[in-house]
Amino acid sequence: MLHVNCTANLAKTLKMKLLPSPNEKGLDWLDCWYARDIPLDFPLDALLFTNVTTHYSLVHPFDRRESIDDIILVFQQRLAGVTNKPLPMRPEPYKVCKTSSRRVLGCMNEQAYALLHKVERQRSEEGVQFEKIEEHLNAGISGGLFPQAEFEKHLDQGAATKTKPTKFPHMRIVEE
């Protein structure tokens, strides 16, 4: 089950009540995400979803009149596309919870500032492209992690097919 920990600002915007945060240690790493809204000077704002374990982020355009069900449905579609997993016929159940990790919130604040900076730069150049901003956020470092590499590593650990072992040693000590 997907657990989305929303900031108080986002909960107030969407007019929803948050459940207590679950113990994230007992959940699958791909089911724990944090969400926050980022106000922009556009008709649409941005939503930032960040994975608790890897700090991998997804950025969505966000209309403040949308319902949480629509937002989660779009997020699940994006997540299925990123992970290359098949999309279920019906939307999966989810819980919207309070935030509990200050570390993830701090990383999200840094990513929000980076996103705002990229939006301002892209606005003056070729127009705002959230895909490029998302790539930039995940290619950097966040909370001591490289989000893209961590996300791929965790996906590979959960994959059924593993790479074949090599016949050569990974490291060879040579004395001269």
Side-chain angles (χ1 to χ4, degrees), residues 45-84:
D45 292 327
L47 266 181
L48 179 67
F49 286 92
T50 302
N51 184 269
V52 173
T53 306
T54 63
H55 297 188
Y56 186 85
S57 296
L58 296 173
V59 180
H60 299 284
F62 170 56
D63 184 1
R64 294 182 177 278
R65 296 171 294 190
E66 284 183 90
S67 71
I68 187 66
D69 294 330
D70 294 338
I71 292 168
I72 296 295
L73 182 64
V74 171
F75 172 71
Q76 288 176 343
Q77 291 171 345
R78 287 283 318 280
L79 189 58
V82 169
T83 59
N84 293 326

Side-chain angles (χ1 to χ4, degrees), residues 140-154:
I141 189 166
S142 175
L145 300 172
F146 293 97
Q148 183 71 40
E150 287 291 319
F151 192 76
E152 290 172 359
K153 182 176 82 174
H154 278 78

Side-chain angles (χ1 to χ4, degrees), residues 114-115 117-118 131-141:
L115 187 143
H117 176 70
K118 281 295 210 183
E131 295 86 16
K132 287 186 177 181
I133 293 172
E134 191 176 281
E135 287 174 14
H136 173 75
L137 291 177
N138 292 321
I141 189 166

Side-chain angles (χ1 to χ4, degrees), residues 28-45:
D28 184 34
W29 71 274
L30 201 51
D31 289 339
C32 297
W33 293 81
Y34 274 51
R36 88 167 264 186
D37 61 326
I38 301 171
L40 303 174
D41 293 333
F42 293 123
L44 295 176
D45 292 327

